[in-house]
Amino acid sequence: MTDALLAITVLWGFVFIYAVMATMDFGAGFWSMIYINRDKTKATNVANRYLSPTWEVTNTFIVALVIALYSLFPKATYTLGTILIIPGSAILLLLALRSAFLVFSNIATDYRKPLTYISGITGIIIPGILIAVLPITHGQAIDYVNGTANLNLTTLFTSPNTYAFIGFAISSTLFLSSLLLADYSKVSREMHAYKVYLKDGQIFGPVSLIMAFFIMLTLRNEAPWLYDRMITDLPLLWLSIGFFLIAGLGLFLPSFTDKGVRGMPRLAVVATVFQYLVASYVYGKAHLPYIIYPDITIQEAFTDPNSFRAVFTTYIVGFAILFPGFFYFWRLFMNDKQYLQQVGKEKE
């Protein structure tokens, strides 16, 4: 594996980790808004208990992603910075609004509902804008004027492929977050909320799969170079669908641990993450060697090899330090039944 390929693998790893964590985070905020007036289900309380410790952790990964891109592929940052100035500014603005209103919704109790609505709406818009970066890199919406790349917003937002990606991002956000909140509710013994989120997962799972097929259909017409390369890994795409079917079984089969309870949401969460991992691998592999098609490749944009080795070593050491903390975070907030049930009682 070349240094450039190793670097893009690290970068894509950051993208995948952030995508999964942010999907759960943004979706939880949206469900908190949706169920804020349904006290009997306690679904909003469950979503807020999940949001409280996770949104700060999630935001650290987008910082790491930007730093990794700048340090590993500095020659691509100018072009990316130019074409992404509008969507990037919109993302930063929405992230700032969501973070601020999310904090204030827990402090200004008299205004909790409107603040929750704002944080929930912005949270579901952000994934749609974030994923729009992918069709931008396909090159069709980029015009060059005097050698400078410019984003053609008209081409971008009249492209069916763009809306396929946006629809997939929103439906996946709602699907994966509902699975996680169902698991969280089950461990917390909030069974009314569990049934609500399990039903949401059963609804948005098929929607996500339909949007994934829509992406492939529109790619065939708008980015045939990428579609043809993805089709060469068709067995892996079928494997991805297989993981989706396992996730579906996890939503309908009786629980092994709780008699009389239907659903194994943790199985569904794990299978869905593996589904996205396989699909993202196929997409990322097909996209290589281009960062932006057809002008910027990973080899052309790659940093100095000595700088790469120093940065890569720093990331390895950093993850060695941070990983135990993230593992403890998972154990505490997602797997410690005594803690979850105690927090649930305190929130009531």
Side-chain angles (χ1 to χ4, degrees):
M1 181 180 289
T2 65
D3 286 347
L5 188 57
L6 182 59
I8 199 66
T9 302
V10 171
L11 186 62
W12 194 251
F14 277 129
V15 171
F16 180 76
I17 292 172
Y18 178 73
V20 172
M21 293 186 66
T23 290
M24 297 173 178
D25 181 38
F26 294 139
F30 181 80
W31 292 124
S32 175
M33 177 193 74
I34 291 296
Y35 295 118
I36 195 169
N37 293 317
R38 293 175 61 177
D39 296 330
K40 290 183 179 181
T41 65
K42 298 182 181 178
T44 290
N45 291 341
V46 170
N48 287 337
R49 293 210 303 269
Y50 172 78
L51 277 170
S52 180
T54 56
W55 69 274
E56 297 147 329
V57 176
T58 302
N59 287 338
T60 61
F61 277 93
I62 197 170
V63 176
L65 176 60
V66 173
I67 294 174
L69 176 63
Y70 181 79
S71 58
L72 298 176
F73 298 97
K75 297 176 184 177
T77 53
Y78 175 77
T79 302
L80 286 171
T82 302
I83 63 177
L84 297 180
I85 186 68
I86 294 178
S89 299
I91 290 167
L92 289 176
L93 177 61
L94 290 172
L95 280 172
L97 282 174
R98 179 178 183 268
S99 298
F101 284 106
L102 194 62
V103 171
F104 289 133
S105 66
N106 292 316
I107 298 174
T109 55
D110 293 339
Y111 302 96
R112 175 168 294 176
K113 286 188 177 181
L115 293 174
T116 300
Y117 281 122
I118 294 173
S119 63
I121 293 171
T122 53
I124 204 63
I125 294 174
I126 292 171
I129 300 178
L130 280 170
I131 205 170
V133 173
L134 296 182
I136 290 174
T137 64
H138 299 167
Q140 284 76 18
I142 300 176
D143 297 329
Y144 287 88
V145 179
N146 297 324
T148 301
N150 294 286
L151 180 62
N152 189 322
L153 292 174
T154 301
T155 302
L156 179 65
F157 289 109
T158 55
S159 165
N161 187 238
T162 299
Y163 292 103
F165 273 99
I166 292 174
F168 177 75
I170 293 175
S171 60
S172 294
T173 296
L174 299 177
F175 176 49
L176 191 52
S177 62
S178 64
L179 296 183
L180 189 83
L181 290 173
D183 183 33
Y184 197 71
S185 302
K186 189 177 181 182
V187 176
S188 302
R189 308 311 299 171
E190 299 284 1
M191 301 312 293
H192 289 290
Y194 168 70
K195 293 177 181 178
V196 168
Y197 287 125
L198 193 70
K199 183 178 180 182
D200 291 330
Q202 292 169 349
I203 293 172
F204 283 99
V207 174
S208 298
L209 185 62
I210 291 171
M211 296 311 301
F213 280 116
F214 187 36
I215 286 176
M216 294 300 295
L217 180 65
T218 53
L219 273 179
R220 186 175 185 177
N221 296 324
E222 298 188 31
W225 64 274
L226 184 58
Y227 173 85
D228 292 339
R229 292 181 176 193
M230 292 183 69
I231 290 300
T232 60
D233 284 320
L234 188 59
L236 289 178
L237 291 176
W238 284 114
L239 178 62
S240 176
I241 295 176
F243 278 121
F244 174 81
L245 295 177
I246 293 174
L249 291 175
L251 293 176
F252 290 97
L253 291 177
S255 173
F256 292 147
T257 57
D258 297 275
K259 292 183 178 180
V261 176
R262 184 172 296 277
M264 294 179 285
R266 185 157 302 183
L267 172 65
V269 170
V270 173
T272 302
V273 171
F274 275 105
Q275 176 203 358
Y276 291 158
L277 179 62
V278 174
S280 68
Y281 169 78
V282 173
Y283 175 86
K285 180 184 175 185
H287 208 288
L288 289 175
Y290 304 104
I291 295 178
I292 301 175
Y293 182 84
D295 300 296
I296 300 179
T297 65
I298 59 174
Q299 289 84 4
E300 293 172 352
F302 188 55
T303 188
D304 176 72
N306 294 325
S307 298
F308 164 71
R309 294 185 185 96
V311 171
F312 185 73
T313 302
T314 302
Y315 281 132
I316 295 298
V317 173
F319 267 101
I321 296 172
L322 291 175
F323 182 77
F326 287 125
F327 179 75
Y328 177 73
F329 168 82
W330 172 265
R331 291 282 302 175
L332 179 61
F333 292 108
M334 288 299 300
N335 206 35
D336 191 324
K337 295 182 180 181
Q338 183 178 357
Y339 169 81
L340 291 173
Q341 292 170 15
Q342 179 181 351
V343 171
K345 292 177 181 178
E346 291 174 355
K347 291 287 185 179
E348 292 175 1

